[in-house]
Amino acid sequence: MGPTRTIRSRSPVAGLQRAQLTFTQVLGQSVSAVAPSAVMVTLPALVLPAAGHLTIAVFILTALMMTAVGYCITQFSTRMVAVSGLYSYTVKGLGPVPGIAAGWSLVIGYAAAAMASALGAASYMAVLLGRVGVPAGKPVIAGLTVLVGGAALILMVRGIRLSARISLAVELFAIVVAGVVLMIAFGGAVTGSAASSKTVADAPHSALGFAILLAITSYVGFESASTVAREAQRPFVTVTRAIRWTPLALGALYTFAAVLQATGSIQTRTGSTPIVLSLPDSADTLAGALSVAMEIGITASWIACVIGSTTALSRTLFAMGREGLLPETMGHAHRRYRTPHVALSVAVPVIVAVPVGYLFAADSSRDVLVGLLAVSAHGYIVAYLLVCLATPAFLRRIGELTTVPLIVGLATAATMIAIIVWAALTVASPVWIATAVYSVLLAAGLAAFLVRRRRVPDLAERVGVFDETIAGDVFADYNPWEVRR
């Protein structure tokens, strides 16, 4: 027999609710963090110039690749309940230092995505207000960004069930609107009532690597269901299902949108708002009504993404506070609502302040959005790469490594490295700016770990907390929360 392990009287992540979220609400967390309806109407138009007639193939390839990443993640989600998701998973597979790198990468990814989403929602709201005579401009967008952040903070502090229900409903509405408008626009192109379509020429595909990288960013956030595992009912099942099926569902949506936009009848326009989808030019009222519907749908999608990304961010910061990596107060939970209110109260002002400050320094909100999304993509992709490498290491450590996870983990990690290098060698300098910003932020996070380790000698052993079986669970009808040793 192995050594007897002492059962704790209190879980390392006590304070958050247990077993509150249904599968639908867990799925809503993954979906809202991705903002698929906003992606459906913007990203294909960005991928088309770089991928040409291979655009559809690019979206199919990335769907399969993200499904492989999801497979790696589920090797952990079926064995442990971690409120910091990929951060704790990587610690269990590769150790504390790579785990810290994954954790800070996720913090950067979630935070930058929430910043971009807050600004995106405010920009589209400003466009809608402009239709009724409210003058557009940076001060209006800044004020609306503050409003979006404040409303999201109230919802998230009040409880995960409330915010999950609202974000899922909002995102489903946005997806339906986006799908209907795209089909109507496509129908106009087929019947000839829309503007003549552009021909998508075959490029030499020197930028194909960048196109694939762009398409990968349309999935980032799907893994965030893992951050609400403690709060989910039957987490080993519900979280795993959400992570397993979300990339496939998103791939179907994006491929559908890419097929419609590849007709060329839908074009993008730039201006005071970020990457706005423009319907075919037409003097009739239908095009105007469709345009308004699209703007409402995209606004709703960005708002849902603020909630989803910030929810995942706050759980990661909460775990870091419990470990001692961040100040202890970050690990406090609200006594009544059982949410990480301190982490939320610290994160949301930063999520609002950074894009507002960036907005007044940049030429347009579109530039701010693209810059923040580029930084966010770096954080997510590095975290995905590390968790794929951690998968075979973790399974080997617990004596459960088989051929399939070994091949999938290593092959997916190698493919992502190749795509990152391919894209880096073929794109313009703005991407390198995002790379530099991400690198500085990651280095600051690792430096903070080294500083805190001097004050907390056993910090390396404390990182990667997860929900564990407690004494009260032994006598209750409740599933144990253990990572297999």
Side-chain angles (χ1 to χ4, degrees):
M1 292 179 63
T4 302
R5 187 164 180 263
T6 303
I7 299 179
R8 295 174 180 264
S9 61
R10 187 172 185 266
S11 170
V13 292
L16 298 179
Q17 290 276 13
R18 259 187 176 181
Q20 294 295 305
L21 302 181
T22 64
F23 168 71
T24 302
Q25 292 166 337
V26 173
L27 181 64
Q29 169 59 36
S30 281
V31 172
S32 63
V34 178
S37 60
V39 172
M40 285 170 63
V41 298
T42 57
L43 202 73
L46 296 179
V47 174
L48 273 165
H53 289 294
L54 292 178
T55 297
I56 309 303
V58 164
F59 279 100
I60 293 174
L61 173 65
T62 51
L64 295 175
M65 190 182 308
M66 289 299 101
T67 300
V69 173
Y71 172 81
C72 292
I73 296 171
T74 59
Q75 301 307 302
F76 295 90
S77 66
T78 56
R79 294 171 169 87
M80 60 185 290
V81 174
V83 301
S84 54
L86 273 59
Y87 166 38
S88 293
Y89 298 164
T90 305
V91 170
K92 299 305 178 188
L94 299 179
V97 175
I100 294 295
W104 281 114
S105 291
L106 286 171
V107 167
I108 295 167
Y110 291 139
M115 293 172 187
S117 301
L119 184 69
S123 298
Y124 277 92
M125 289 171 66
V127 171
L128 289 168
L129 291 175
R131 292 180 177 275
V132 295
V134 177
K138 292 182 179 180
V140 173
I141 296 175
L144 291 172
T145 303
V146 174
L147 180 63
V148 169
L153 176 61
I154 293 172
L155 284 175
M156 289 182 289
V157 170
R158 287 293 302 272
I160 182 66
R161 295 181 68 183
L162 176 63
S163 61
R165 284 197 299 266
I166 291 176
S167 59
L168 178 61
V170 166
E171 191 56 60
L172 288 177
F173 162 77
I175 290 172
V176 170
V177 170
V180 169
V181 172
L182 284 172
M183 285 189 291
I184 292 175
F186 176 71
V190 171
T191 60
S193 62
S196 59
S197 63
K198 295 186 297 181
T199 300
V200 180
D202 279 316
H205 301 308
S206 60
L208 187 58
F210 180 57
I212 296 173
L213 191 64
L214 272 177
I216 288 174
T217 64
S218 64
Y219 295 85
V220 295
F222 82 94
E223 81 300 327
S224 64
S226 61
T227 64
V228 296
R230 175 182 165 91
E231 296 153 290
Q233 299 172 9
R234 302 172 62 219
F236 297 121
V237 175
T238 55
V239 171
T240 299
R241 284 178 179 171
I243 293 172
R244 180 178 296 157
W245 293 108
T246 299
L248 291 174
L250 293 176
L253 283 175
Y254 298 158
T255 303
F256 160 75
V259 167
L260 298 188
Q261 294 206 44
T263 64
S265 64
I266 299 176
Q267 305 172 10
T268 58
R269 56 183 167 88
T270 59
S272 61
T273 58
I275 317 177
V276 180
L277 178 71
S278 178
L279 294 171
D281 293 332
S282 175
D284 61 39
T285 57
L286 180 60
L290 288 177
S291 183
V292 172
M294 179 63 72
E295 288 161 3
I296 292 173
I298 298 177
T299 301
S301 184
W302 283 129
I303 292 173
C305 190
V306 174
I307 295 173
S309 299
T310 308
T311 294
L313 172 63
S314 66
R315 270 63 181 173
T316 305
L317 296 176
F318 172 86
M320 289 180 170
R322 285 294 172 91
E323 296 164 348
L325 183 60
L326 292 178
E328 182 184 354
T329 54
M330 294 291 281
H332 289 179
H334 197 284
R335 291 186 178 181
R336 178 180 176 185
Y337 298 123
R338 309 287 293 277
T339 54
H341 66 298
V342 175
L344 286 167
S345 299
V346 171
V348 171
V350 176
I351 287 169
V352 170
V354 170
V356 168
Y358 191 177
L359 176 65
F360 286 100
D363 293 333
S364 70
S365 59
R366 179 187 184 278
D367 294 338
V368 179
L369 182 73
V370 172
L372 290 172
L373 289 177
V375 173
S376 175
H378 281 73
Y380 282 113
I381 290 173
V382 170
Y384 292 165
L385 172 62
L386 288 172
V387 81
C388 287
L389 292 173
T391 299
F394 169 72
L395 294 176
R396 182 177 181 274
R397 181 173 68 82
I398 64 176
E400 298 183 15
L401 180 61
T402 57
T403 302
V404 174
L406 175 64
I407 293 175
V408 172
L410 296 181
T412 305
T415 303
M416 294 188 71
I417 291 173
I419 291 171
I420 292 169
V421 173
W422 186 7
L425 294 176
T426 58
V427 297
S429 59
V431 175
W432 288 106
I433 296 173
T435 302
V437 171
Y438 164 77
S439 299
V440 169
L441 293 174
L442 179 61
L446 292 172
F449 168 67
L450 296 176
V451 170
R452 291 289 293 180
R453 190 163 62 175
R454 294 182 179 180
R455 300 180 182 180
V456 186
D458 63 339
L459 182 59
E461 289 72 40
R462 294 172 59 178
V463 296
V465 295
F466 57 94
D467 198 12
E468 299 184 34
T469 302
I470 60 175
D473 296 334
V474 175
F475 305 103
D477 183 17
Y478 199 69
N479 288 330
W481 313 91
E482 287 291 345
V483 57
R484 296 178 189 173
R485 299 286 176 179

